Structures are given as structure tokens and as C-alpha cells.
Short mmCIF file of all heavy atoms in Angstrom, two decimals:
data_model
loop_
_atom_site.label_atom_id
_atom_site.label_comp_id
_atom_site.label_asym_id
_atom_site.label_seq_id
_atom_site.Cartn_x
_atom_site.Cartn_y
_atom_site.Cartn_z
N MET F 1 -7.39 5.20 21.19
CA MET F 1 -8.80 4.94 21.00
C MET F 1 -9.05 3.95 19.87
O MET F 1 -8.47 3.97 18.86
CB MET F 1 -9.51 6.24 20.62
CG MET F 1 -9.85 7.10 21.83
SD MET F 1 -11.20 8.26 21.44
CE MET F 1 -10.53 9.16 20.05
N MET F 2 -9.86 3.00 20.20
CA MET F 2 -10.16 1.93 19.16
C MET F 2 -11.51 2.25 18.51
O MET F 2 -12.49 2.40 19.08
CB MET F 2 -10.27 0.57 19.84
CG MET F 2 -8.92 0.08 20.32
SD MET F 2 -7.79 -0.32 19.04
CE MET F 2 -8.48 -1.76 18.37
N HIS F 3 -11.35 2.38 17.21
CA HIS F 3 -12.61 2.52 16.36
C HIS F 3 -12.68 1.40 15.41
O HIS F 3 -11.68 0.82 14.98
CB HIS F 3 -12.49 3.81 15.55
CG HIS F 3 -12.65 5.06 16.42
ND1 HIS F 3 -13.81 5.47 16.91
CD2 HIS F 3 -11.69 5.93 16.71
CE1 HIS F 3 -13.53 6.58 17.59
NE2 HIS F 3 -12.32 6.92 17.50
N THR F 4 -13.88 1.01 15.12
CA THR F 4 -14.03 -0.06 14.13
C THR F 4 -14.22 0.58 12.73
O THR F 4 -15.24 0.40 12.07
CB THR F 4 -15.23 -0.98 14.44
OG1 THR F 4 -16.39 -0.14 14.63
CG2 THR F 4 -15.01 -1.76 15.63
N THR F 5 -13.20 1.37 12.38
CA THR F 5 -13.29 2.09 11.13
C THR F 5 -13.17 0.99 9.98
O THR F 5 -12.34 0.07 10.06
CB THR F 5 -12.09 3.00 10.95
OG1 THR F 5 -12.10 3.92 12.11
CG2 THR F 5 -12.13 3.75 9.69
N GLU F 6 -14.03 1.16 9.04
CA GLU F 6 -13.95 0.22 7.90
C GLU F 6 -12.70 0.48 7.12
O GLU F 6 -12.34 1.59 6.76
CB GLU F 6 -15.17 0.42 7.02
CG GLU F 6 -15.50 -0.83 6.19
CD GLU F 6 -16.67 -0.59 5.28
OE1 GLU F 6 -17.48 0.31 5.61
OE2 GLU F 6 -16.80 -1.27 4.23
N MET F 7 -12.00 -0.62 6.81
CA MET F 7 -10.74 -0.50 6.14
C MET F 7 -10.96 -0.41 4.56
O MET F 7 -10.74 -1.37 3.85
CB MET F 7 -9.82 -1.74 6.41
CG MET F 7 -9.31 -1.73 7.85
SD MET F 7 -8.17 -0.39 8.16
CE MET F 7 -9.08 0.63 9.21
N THR F 8 -11.44 0.76 4.22
CA THR F 8 -11.66 0.99 2.79
C THR F 8 -10.40 1.40 2.09
O THR F 8 -9.35 1.71 2.74
CB THR F 8 -12.65 2.10 2.54
OG1 THR F 8 -12.20 3.28 3.24
CG2 THR F 8 -14.02 1.75 3.14
N ALA F 9 -10.31 1.30 0.80
CA ALA F 9 -9.10 1.65 0.07
C ALA F 9 -8.58 3.05 0.43
O ALA F 9 -7.36 3.25 0.60
CB ALA F 9 -9.39 1.48 -1.42
N PRO F 10 -9.46 4.11 0.53
CA PRO F 10 -8.93 5.37 0.88
C PRO F 10 -8.27 5.45 2.25
O PRO F 10 -7.27 6.10 2.44
CB PRO F 10 -10.17 6.27 0.78
CG PRO F 10 -11.09 5.57 -0.16
CD PRO F 10 -10.84 4.14 0.09
N VAL F 11 -8.88 4.69 3.25
CA VAL F 11 -8.32 4.67 4.53
C VAL F 11 -7.03 3.96 4.55
O VAL F 11 -6.01 4.49 5.17
CB VAL F 11 -9.32 3.93 5.49
CG1 VAL F 11 -8.72 3.61 6.89
CG2 VAL F 11 -10.61 4.69 5.69
N LEU F 12 -6.86 2.88 3.87
CA LEU F 12 -5.63 2.14 3.77
C LEU F 12 -4.52 2.94 3.08
O LEU F 12 -3.35 2.95 3.45
CB LEU F 12 -5.83 0.79 3.02
CG LEU F 12 -6.73 -0.22 3.73
CD1 LEU F 12 -7.08 -1.30 2.77
CD2 LEU F 12 -6.00 -0.73 4.98
N THR F 13 -4.98 3.71 2.02
CA THR F 13 -4.06 4.54 1.28
C THR F 13 -3.50 5.65 2.19
O THR F 13 -2.28 5.95 2.15
CB THR F 13 -4.71 5.09 0.06
OG1 THR F 13 -5.09 3.95 -0.78
CG2 THR F 13 -3.77 6.01 -0.75
N THR F 14 -4.36 6.25 2.93
CA THR F 14 -3.93 7.32 3.85
C THR F 14 -2.93 6.77 4.85
O THR F 14 -1.96 7.42 5.14
CB THR F 14 -5.16 7.86 4.55
OG1 THR F 14 -6.07 8.47 3.62
CG2 THR F 14 -4.73 9.03 5.57
N ALA F 15 -3.21 5.60 5.37
CA ALA F 15 -2.34 4.98 6.36
C ALA F 15 -0.96 4.70 5.75
O ALA F 15 0.08 4.98 6.30
CB ALA F 15 -2.93 3.72 6.89
N ALA F 16 -0.95 4.18 4.52
CA ALA F 16 0.31 3.88 3.89
C ALA F 16 1.16 5.14 3.60
O ALA F 16 2.36 5.19 3.82
CB ALA F 16 0.03 3.19 2.49
N LYS F 17 0.43 6.23 3.21
CA LYS F 17 1.14 7.53 2.90
C LYS F 17 1.74 8.09 4.13
O LYS F 17 2.82 8.60 4.15
CB LYS F 17 0.12 8.48 2.27
CG LYS F 17 -0.12 8.18 0.80
CD LYS F 17 -1.03 9.16 0.15
CE LYS F 17 -1.21 8.88 -1.38
NZ LYS F 17 -2.14 9.78 -2.02
N LEU F 18 0.92 7.96 5.26
CA LEU F 18 1.45 8.53 6.54
C LEU F 18 2.73 7.77 6.95
O LEU F 18 3.68 8.40 7.43
CB LEU F 18 0.38 8.42 7.59
CG LEU F 18 -0.79 9.41 7.53
CD1 LEU F 18 -1.88 9.06 8.48
CD2 LEU F 18 -0.29 10.83 7.78
N LEU F 19 2.71 6.43 6.82
CA LEU F 19 3.88 5.64 7.22
C LEU F 19 5.05 6.00 6.35
O LEU F 19 6.20 6.14 6.81
CB LEU F 19 3.52 4.16 7.05
CG LEU F 19 2.57 3.52 8.14
CD1 LEU F 19 2.18 2.15 7.77
CD2 LEU F 19 3.28 3.60 9.50
N LEU F 20 4.81 6.11 5.08
CA LEU F 20 5.90 6.39 4.10
C LEU F 20 6.48 7.77 4.27
O LEU F 20 7.73 7.97 4.07
CB LEU F 20 5.52 6.11 2.62
CG LEU F 20 5.19 4.63 2.26
CD1 LEU F 20 4.50 4.53 0.97
CD2 LEU F 20 6.51 3.88 2.28
N GLU F 21 5.64 8.71 4.66
CA GLU F 21 6.10 10.05 4.84
C GLU F 21 7.06 10.14 6.08
O GLU F 21 7.90 11.07 6.16
CB GLU F 21 4.89 11.00 5.22
CG GLU F 21 4.23 11.56 3.94
CD GLU F 21 2.98 12.25 4.34
OE1 GLU F 21 2.75 12.59 5.52
OE2 GLU F 21 2.19 12.55 3.35
N GLU F 22 6.96 9.18 6.99
CA GLU F 22 7.83 9.12 8.19
C GLU F 22 9.18 8.57 7.86
O GLU F 22 10.13 8.65 8.68
CB GLU F 22 7.20 8.35 9.31
CG GLU F 22 5.92 8.94 9.84
CD GLU F 22 6.20 10.29 10.52
OE1 GLU F 22 7.23 10.40 11.22
OE2 GLU F 22 5.48 11.24 10.29
N CYS F 23 9.38 7.98 6.66
CA CYS F 23 10.69 7.36 6.33
C CYS F 23 11.66 8.43 5.98
O CYS F 23 11.43 9.30 5.19
CB CYS F 23 10.47 6.44 5.11
SG CYS F 23 9.35 5.06 5.48
N VAL F 24 12.86 8.32 6.52
CA VAL F 24 13.93 9.23 6.25
C VAL F 24 14.96 8.59 5.31
O VAL F 24 15.46 9.28 4.44
CB VAL F 24 14.61 9.61 7.58
CG1 VAL F 24 15.79 10.60 7.34
CG2 VAL F 24 13.61 10.28 8.56
N THR F 25 15.29 7.38 5.54
CA THR F 25 16.30 6.71 4.69
C THR F 25 15.70 5.70 3.76
O THR F 25 14.54 5.19 4.00
CB THR F 25 17.27 6.00 5.60
OG1 THR F 25 16.57 4.90 6.23
CG2 THR F 25 17.89 6.90 6.66
N PRO F 26 16.33 5.38 2.65
CA PRO F 26 15.85 4.33 1.73
C PRO F 26 15.67 3.05 2.46
O PRO F 26 14.76 2.22 2.16
CB PRO F 26 16.92 4.23 0.68
CG PRO F 26 17.60 5.58 0.72
CD PRO F 26 17.57 6.03 2.14
N HIS F 27 16.53 2.79 3.43
CA HIS F 27 16.36 1.55 4.25
C HIS F 27 15.01 1.49 4.94
O HIS F 27 14.34 0.49 4.94
CB HIS F 27 17.49 1.45 5.20
CG HIS F 27 17.52 0.12 6.06
ND1 HIS F 27 17.91 -1.01 5.53
CD2 HIS F 27 17.01 -0.02 7.25
CE1 HIS F 27 17.81 -1.95 6.46
NE2 HIS F 27 17.26 -1.38 7.57
N GLU F 28 14.65 2.61 5.58
CA GLU F 28 13.37 2.71 6.27
C GLU F 28 12.21 2.55 5.26
O GLU F 28 11.22 1.88 5.50
CB GLU F 28 13.22 4.02 7.04
CG GLU F 28 14.10 4.09 8.27
CD GLU F 28 13.94 5.43 8.97
OE1 GLU F 28 13.33 6.37 8.40
OE2 GLU F 28 14.55 5.53 10.08
N TRP F 29 12.34 3.23 4.13
CA TRP F 29 11.29 3.20 3.13
C TRP F 29 11.10 1.71 2.70
O TRP F 29 9.90 1.25 2.61
CB TRP F 29 11.79 4.04 1.82
CG TRP F 29 10.86 3.98 0.74
CD1 TRP F 29 10.89 3.02 -0.26
CD2 TRP F 29 9.88 4.87 0.38
NE1 TRP F 29 9.84 3.31 -1.13
CE2 TRP F 29 9.22 4.47 -0.85
CE3 TRP F 29 9.38 6.07 0.95
CZ2 TRP F 29 8.20 5.15 -1.38
CZ3 TRP F 29 8.33 6.79 0.32
CH2 TRP F 29 7.73 6.36 -0.82
N ASN F 30 12.17 0.99 2.37
CA ASN F 30 12.09 -0.42 2.02
C ASN F 30 11.41 -1.24 3.01
O ASN F 30 10.59 -2.12 2.74
CB ASN F 30 13.45 -0.96 1.67
CG ASN F 30 14.04 -0.42 0.39
OD1 ASN F 30 13.32 -0.02 -0.50
ND2 ASN F 30 15.36 -0.39 0.32
N ALA F 31 11.75 -0.97 4.30
CA ALA F 31 11.13 -1.86 5.38
C ALA F 31 9.63 -1.54 5.52
O ALA F 31 8.80 -2.44 5.63
CB ALA F 31 11.79 -1.39 6.73
N VAL F 32 9.27 -0.25 5.39
CA VAL F 32 7.85 0.13 5.46
C VAL F 32 7.09 -0.39 4.28
O VAL F 32 5.96 -0.88 4.44
CB VAL F 32 7.70 1.68 5.55
CG1 VAL F 32 6.20 2.08 5.37
CG2 VAL F 32 8.16 2.16 6.90
N VAL F 33 7.69 -0.33 3.08
CA VAL F 33 7.01 -0.89 1.90
C VAL F 33 6.75 -2.41 2.05
O VAL F 33 5.69 -2.93 1.77
CB VAL F 33 7.89 -0.67 0.62
CG1 VAL F 33 7.38 -1.46 -0.55
CG2 VAL F 33 7.73 0.87 0.26
N ARG F 34 7.75 -3.12 2.60
CA ARG F 34 7.68 -4.56 2.74
C ARG F 34 6.52 -4.89 3.78
O ARG F 34 5.74 -5.70 3.47
CB ARG F 34 8.98 -5.10 3.28
CG ARG F 34 9.10 -6.66 3.21
CD ARG F 34 10.36 -7.15 3.67
NE ARG F 34 10.60 -7.00 5.09
CZ ARG F 34 11.49 -6.25 5.67
NH1 ARG F 34 12.42 -5.66 4.96
NH2 ARG F 34 11.58 -6.12 7.02
N VAL F 35 6.51 -4.17 4.88
CA VAL F 35 5.47 -4.37 5.84
C VAL F 35 4.11 -4.02 5.30
O VAL F 35 3.12 -4.69 5.54
CB VAL F 35 5.80 -3.66 7.15
CG1 VAL F 35 4.60 -3.71 8.12
CG2 VAL F 35 7.06 -4.20 7.78
N SER F 36 4.05 -2.87 4.57
CA SER F 36 2.77 -2.41 3.97
C SER F 36 2.17 -3.39 3.03
O SER F 36 0.95 -3.57 2.97
CB SER F 36 2.98 -1.05 3.34
OG SER F 36 3.33 -0.12 4.35
N LEU F 37 3.06 -4.04 2.24
CA LEU F 37 2.57 -4.95 1.26
C LEU F 37 2.00 -6.21 1.98
O LEU F 37 0.95 -6.69 1.56
CB LEU F 37 3.78 -5.47 0.40
CG LEU F 37 4.18 -4.47 -0.70
CD1 LEU F 37 5.58 -4.95 -1.25
CD2 LEU F 37 3.18 -4.35 -1.70
N LYS F 38 2.64 -6.57 3.10
CA LYS F 38 2.09 -7.73 3.88
C LYS F 38 0.80 -7.37 4.58
O LYS F 38 -0.11 -8.16 4.70
CB LYS F 38 3.11 -8.12 4.95
CG LYS F 38 4.19 -9.02 4.40
CD LYS F 38 4.92 -9.68 5.55
CE LYS F 38 5.98 -10.72 5.02
NZ LYS F 38 6.68 -11.41 6.18
N ALA F 39 0.76 -6.08 5.00
CA ALA F 39 -0.49 -5.64 5.77
C ALA F 39 -1.64 -5.20 4.83
O ALA F 39 -2.72 -4.93 5.38
CB ALA F 39 -0.12 -4.53 6.70
N GLY F 40 -1.31 -5.17 3.60
CA GLY F 40 -2.39 -4.79 2.68
C GLY F 40 -2.61 -3.29 2.49
O GLY F 40 -3.67 -2.85 2.04
N LEU F 41 -1.57 -2.53 2.92
CA LEU F 41 -1.58 -1.09 2.73
C LEU F 41 -1.09 -0.73 1.27
O LEU F 41 -1.22 0.46 0.93
CB LEU F 41 -0.78 -0.40 3.75
CG LEU F 41 -1.26 -0.65 5.23
CD1 LEU F 41 -0.27 0.09 6.19
CD2 LEU F 41 -2.63 -0.16 5.43
N LEU F 42 -0.42 -1.64 0.69
CA LEU F 42 0.06 -1.46 -0.71
C LEU F 42 -0.13 -2.77 -1.40
O LEU F 42 -0.24 -3.87 -0.78
CB LEU F 42 1.54 -1.08 -0.67
CG LEU F 42 1.99 0.20 -0.16
CD1 LEU F 42 3.56 0.18 -0.06
CD2 LEU F 42 1.55 1.35 -0.96
N TRP F 43 -0.18 -2.69 -2.69
CA TRP F 43 -0.18 -3.96 -3.49
C TRP F 43 0.89 -3.84 -4.59
O TRP F 43 1.24 -2.77 -5.06
CB TRP F 43 -1.54 -4.29 -4.06
CG TRP F 43 -2.11 -3.33 -5.07
CD1 TRP F 43 -2.81 -2.22 -4.75
CD2 TRP F 43 -2.08 -3.44 -6.46
NE1 TRP F 43 -3.20 -1.58 -5.93
CE2 TRP F 43 -2.74 -2.35 -6.98
CE3 TRP F 43 -1.47 -4.32 -7.37
CZ2 TRP F 43 -2.87 -2.12 -8.38
CZ3 TRP F 43 -1.60 -4.14 -8.80
CH2 TRP F 43 -2.32 -3.05 -9.24
N ARG F 44 1.43 -4.96 -5.00
CA ARG F 44 2.50 -4.97 -5.94
C ARG F 44 2.07 -5.71 -7.23
O ARG F 44 1.52 -6.80 -7.10
CB ARG F 44 3.73 -5.65 -5.39
CG ARG F 44 4.81 -5.92 -6.32
CD ARG F 44 6.08 -6.40 -5.69
NE ARG F 44 6.84 -5.32 -5.02
CZ ARG F 44 7.89 -5.52 -4.30
NH1 ARG F 44 8.46 -6.71 -4.14
NH2 ARG F 44 8.48 -4.48 -3.68
N CYS F 45 2.36 -5.10 -8.35
CA CYS F 45 2.12 -5.76 -9.60
C CYS F 45 3.22 -6.80 -9.83
O CYS F 45 4.39 -6.47 -9.73
CB CYS F 45 2.19 -4.77 -10.80
SG CYS F 45 2.03 -5.53 -12.40
N HIS F 46 2.79 -8.00 -10.04
CA HIS F 46 3.81 -9.09 -10.13
C HIS F 46 4.58 -9.03 -11.44
O HIS F 46 5.68 -9.40 -11.51
CB HIS F 46 3.12 -10.45 -10.06
CG HIS F 46 2.68 -10.83 -8.66
ND1 HIS F 46 3.56 -11.13 -7.65
CD2 HIS F 46 1.42 -10.91 -8.10
CE1 HIS F 46 2.89 -11.30 -6.57
NE2 HIS F 46 1.60 -11.24 -6.74
N ASP F 47 3.91 -8.33 -12.45
CA ASP F 47 4.61 -8.30 -13.75
C ASP F 47 5.78 -7.25 -13.75
O ASP F 47 6.89 -7.51 -14.21
CB ASP F 47 3.63 -7.98 -14.84
CG ASP F 47 2.68 -9.09 -15.17
OD1 ASP F 47 3.05 -10.27 -14.85
OD2 ASP F 47 1.63 -8.87 -15.63
N CYS F 48 5.46 -6.09 -13.18
CA CYS F 48 6.57 -5.01 -13.29
C CYS F 48 7.08 -4.67 -11.91
O CYS F 48 7.97 -3.77 -11.84
CB CYS F 48 6.03 -3.74 -13.96
SG CYS F 48 4.28 -3.45 -13.94
N LYS F 49 6.72 -5.42 -10.87
CA LYS F 49 7.22 -5.18 -9.48
C LYS F 49 7.04 -3.78 -8.99
O LYS F 49 7.85 -3.26 -8.26
CB LYS F 49 8.77 -5.55 -9.46
CG LYS F 49 9.15 -6.83 -10.08
CD LYS F 49 8.72 -7.98 -9.30
CE LYS F 49 9.22 -9.25 -9.89
NZ LYS F 49 8.23 -10.36 -9.76
N GLU F 50 5.97 -3.16 -9.50
CA GLU F 50 5.67 -1.86 -9.11
C GLU F 50 4.67 -1.80 -7.93
O GLU F 50 3.79 -2.63 -7.85
CB GLU F 50 4.97 -1.06 -10.30
CG GLU F 50 5.52 0.33 -10.51
CD GLU F 50 4.85 1.00 -11.71
OE1 GLU F 50 5.11 0.59 -12.85
OE2 GLU F 50 4.01 1.91 -11.45
N ASN F 51 4.85 -0.95 -6.98
CA ASN F 51 4.02 -0.88 -5.78
C ASN F 51 2.92 0.22 -5.98
O ASN F 51 3.22 1.27 -6.53
CB ASN F 51 4.86 -0.56 -4.54
CG ASN F 51 5.85 -1.63 -4.24
OD1 ASN F 51 5.63 -2.79 -4.37
ND2 ASN F 51 7.02 -1.17 -3.89
N HIS F 52 1.72 -0.16 -5.57
CA HIS F 52 0.63 0.77 -5.76
C HIS F 52 -0.19 0.91 -4.43
O HIS F 52 -0.30 -0.05 -3.71
CB HIS F 52 -0.34 0.18 -6.88
CG HIS F 52 0.37 0.07 -8.21
ND1 HIS F 52 0.71 1.12 -8.98
CD2 HIS F 52 0.64 -1.11 -8.88
CE1 HIS F 52 1.28 0.59 -10.04
NE2 HIS F 52 1.30 -0.68 -9.97
N TYR F 53 -0.80 2.12 -4.32
CA TYR F 53 -1.69 2.35 -3.20
C TYR F 53 -2.98 1.59 -3.46
O TYR F 53 -3.36 1.41 -4.62
CB TYR F 53 -1.91 3.80 -3.06
CG TYR F 53 -0.86 4.64 -2.50
CD1 TYR F 53 -0.18 5.58 -3.28
CD2 TYR F 53 -0.26 4.34 -1.21
CE1 TYR F 53 0.86 6.33 -2.81
CE2 TYR F 53 0.80 5.05 -0.81
CZ TYR F 53 1.33 6.01 -1.56
OH TYR F 53 2.48 6.71 -1.06
N PRO F 54 -3.77 1.28 -2.38
CA PRO F 54 -4.99 0.58 -2.58
C PRO F 54 -6.04 1.29 -3.41
O PRO F 54 -6.89 0.64 -4.06
CB PRO F 54 -5.54 0.42 -1.09
CG PRO F 54 -4.32 0.41 -0.25
CD PRO F 54 -3.38 1.44 -0.97
N ILE F 55 -5.97 2.61 -3.49
CA ILE F 55 -6.96 3.32 -4.31
C ILE F 55 -6.66 3.24 -5.83
O ILE F 55 -7.45 3.55 -6.65
CB ILE F 55 -7.10 4.80 -3.93
CG1 ILE F 55 -5.71 5.47 -3.95
CG2 ILE F 55 -7.80 5.05 -2.64
CD1 ILE F 55 -5.67 6.96 -3.94
N VAL F 56 -5.50 2.72 -6.09
CA VAL F 56 -5.18 2.45 -7.53
C VAL F 56 -5.77 1.13 -7.99
O VAL F 56 -5.53 0.08 -7.45
CB VAL F 56 -3.60 2.40 -7.75
CG1 VAL F 56 -3.31 2.08 -9.16
CG2 VAL F 56 -2.97 3.67 -7.25
N ASP F 57 -6.66 1.28 -8.99
CA ASP F 57 -7.42 0.08 -9.44
C ASP F 57 -6.59 -0.83 -10.28
O ASP F 57 -6.81 -2.06 -10.26
CB ASP F 57 -8.64 0.52 -10.26
CG ASP F 57 -9.72 1.17 -9.36
OD1 ASP F 57 -9.77 0.75 -8.23
OD2 ASP F 57 -10.42 2.05 -9.91
N ALA F 58 -5.67 -0.30 -11.01
CA ALA F 58 -4.90 -1.16 -11.94
C ALA F 58 -3.52 -0.58 -12.16
O ALA F 58 -3.35 0.70 -12.12
CB ALA F 58 -5.60 -1.33 -13.19
N CYS F 59 -2.57 -1.45 -12.46
CA CYS F 59 -1.21 -0.98 -12.75
C CYS F 59 -1.23 -0.38 -14.13
O CYS F 59 -2.15 -0.64 -14.97
CB CYS F 59 -0.25 -2.16 -12.70
SG CYS F 59 1.47 -1.85 -13.12
N SER F 60 -0.24 0.36 -14.46
CA SER F 60 -0.09 0.99 -15.75
C SER F 60 0.05 -0.11 -16.85
O SER F 60 -0.28 0.17 -18.07
CB SER F 60 1.12 1.88 -15.87
OG SER F 60 2.27 1.28 -15.45
N CYS F 61 0.40 -1.31 -16.51
CA CYS F 61 0.53 -2.37 -17.48
C CYS F 61 -0.89 -3.06 -17.76
O CYS F 61 -0.95 -3.91 -18.60
CB CYS F 61 1.57 -3.42 -17.07
SG CYS F 61 1.03 -4.44 -15.64
N GLY F 62 -1.83 -2.70 -16.89
CA GLY F 62 -3.17 -3.28 -17.06
C GLY F 62 -3.49 -4.34 -16.04
O GLY F 62 -4.70 -4.74 -15.98
N THR F 63 -2.59 -4.76 -15.24
CA THR F 63 -2.86 -5.67 -14.18
C THR F 63 -3.80 -5.11 -13.12
O THR F 63 -3.55 -4.01 -12.66
CB THR F 63 -1.54 -6.15 -13.55
OG1 THR F 63 -0.67 -6.80 -14.46
CG2 THR F 63 -1.77 -7.13 -12.33
N GLN F 64 -4.85 -5.84 -12.81
CA GLN F 64 -5.80 -5.32 -11.86
C GLN F 64 -5.35 -5.51 -10.40
O GLN F 64 -4.62 -6.40 -10.08
CB GLN F 64 -7.16 -6.16 -12.07
CG GLN F 64 -7.83 -5.90 -13.41
CD GLN F 64 -8.37 -4.47 -13.57
OE1 GLN F 64 -9.10 -4.02 -12.69
NE2 GLN F 64 -8.03 -3.86 -14.69
N ARG F 65 -5.80 -4.63 -9.58
CA ARG F 65 -5.56 -4.74 -8.13
C ARG F 65 -6.07 -6.08 -7.66
O ARG F 65 -7.10 -6.61 -8.08
CB ARG F 65 -6.41 -3.64 -7.39
CG ARG F 65 -6.19 -3.54 -5.92
CD ARG F 65 -7.04 -2.46 -5.31
NE ARG F 65 -8.48 -2.62 -5.69
CZ ARG F 65 -9.29 -1.58 -5.79
NH1 ARG F 65 -8.92 -0.35 -5.56
NH2 ARG F 65 -10.52 -1.82 -6.09
N PRO F 66 -5.34 -6.73 -6.71
CA PRO F 66 -5.79 -8.07 -6.18
C PRO F 66 -7.17 -8.01 -5.70
O PRO F 66 -7.51 -7.05 -5.01
CB PRO F 66 -4.81 -8.38 -5.11
CG PRO F 66 -3.56 -7.55 -5.44
CD PRO F 66 -4.08 -6.32 -6.12
N SER F 67 -7.95 -8.99 -5.99
CA SER F 67 -9.37 -9.02 -5.53
C SER F 67 -9.50 -9.11 -4.04
O SER F 67 -10.64 -8.77 -3.58
CB SER F 67 -10.09 -10.21 -6.24
OG SER F 67 -9.44 -11.45 -5.97
N HIS F 68 -8.56 -9.47 -3.32
CA HIS F 68 -8.73 -9.60 -1.85
C HIS F 68 -8.67 -8.29 -1.21
O HIS F 68 -8.97 -8.08 -0.01
CB HIS F 68 -7.65 -10.52 -1.24
CG HIS F 68 -6.28 -10.00 -1.33
ND1 HIS F 68 -5.42 -10.28 -2.41
CD2 HIS F 68 -5.60 -9.20 -0.49
CE1 HIS F 68 -4.28 -9.63 -2.15
NE2 HIS F 68 -4.32 -8.96 -1.05
N MET F 69 -8.25 -7.18 -1.90
CA MET F 69 -8.11 -5.83 -1.30
C MET F 69 -9.47 -5.16 -1.40
O MET F 69 -10.24 -5.32 -2.40
CB MET F 69 -7.12 -5.09 -2.08
CG MET F 69 -5.73 -5.66 -1.87
SD MET F 69 -4.47 -4.49 -2.40
CE MET F 69 -4.36 -3.41 -0.95
N PRO F 70 -9.78 -4.40 -0.42
CA PRO F 70 -11.09 -3.64 -0.44
C PRO F 70 -11.04 -2.56 -1.56
O PRO F 70 -10.02 -2.02 -1.87
CB PRO F 70 -11.17 -3.01 0.96
CG PRO F 70 -9.76 -2.94 1.42
CD PRO F 70 -9.07 -4.08 0.82
N GLY F 71 -12.25 -2.34 -2.09
CA GLY F 71 -12.27 -1.46 -3.23
C GLY F 71 -12.56 -0.04 -2.81
O GLY F 71 -12.78 0.31 -1.69
ZN1 ZN V 1 2.23 -3.75 -13.83
#
């Protein structure tokens, strides 16, 4: 079923968590993280290379979530 669900941060975060929960091996995890970063389901802090869910407004180092991501 196709819905025009708005891609809000909570929706994207839920999607990312569901995908990551399906990962069994570290290899799978890495692949899903890589794809999720490209798809905007996760964002990465360039300073500390830490991955964050879209609902996270800022990294622990203070770097803000990229402005292109929905709030
Ligand atoms: Zn950081």
C-alpha cells in the first residue's frame, strides 16, 4: 500500500530502527547504516563519526543535525 506519509524525523527514526533490528551480523549492520545514511534515515557527525537517528537534534559534541533533514 502506498501512502504519502510525511517523512518526519520520528517516522524516519522508526524506519531506521526497524531496519537495524533486522541486522544479525556486524556486516549487515554496517551495510544498513551505510544505506540509511544515504537515504536520510540516519545522520553522521563529521567531527566524531558518530551516527544519530533523525530525532536527535545534535551530537554530544554540539554539532547540529544537518539542515536538509526534516525536524
Ligand atoms: Zn559529534
Side-chain angles (χ1 to χ4, degrees):
M1 277 202 304
M2 289 294 287
H3 290 285
T4 51
T5 305
E6 203 184 336
M7 290 293 109
T8 58
V11 172
L12 294 168
T13 297
T14 300
K17 284 182 176 176
L18 286 170
L19 287 171
L20 290 168
E21 276 172 12
E22 293 299 317
C23 296
V24 178
T25 65
H27 182 79
E28 286 180 354
W29 176 278
N30 286 334
V32 169
V33 165
R34 193 178 69 240
V35 172
S36 295
L37 286 167
K38 279 194 173 182
L41 299 178
L42 293 172
W43 63 274
R44 173 172 284 178
C45 173
H46 286 292
D47 289 339
C48 29
K49 312 289 183 218
E50 227 180 286
N51 299 318
H52 302 288
Y53 289 116
I55 50 167
V56 178
D57 289 329
C59 181
S60 53
C61 72
T63 298
Q64 296 290 309
R65 182 180 57 205
S67 54
H68 67 268
M69 298 195 76

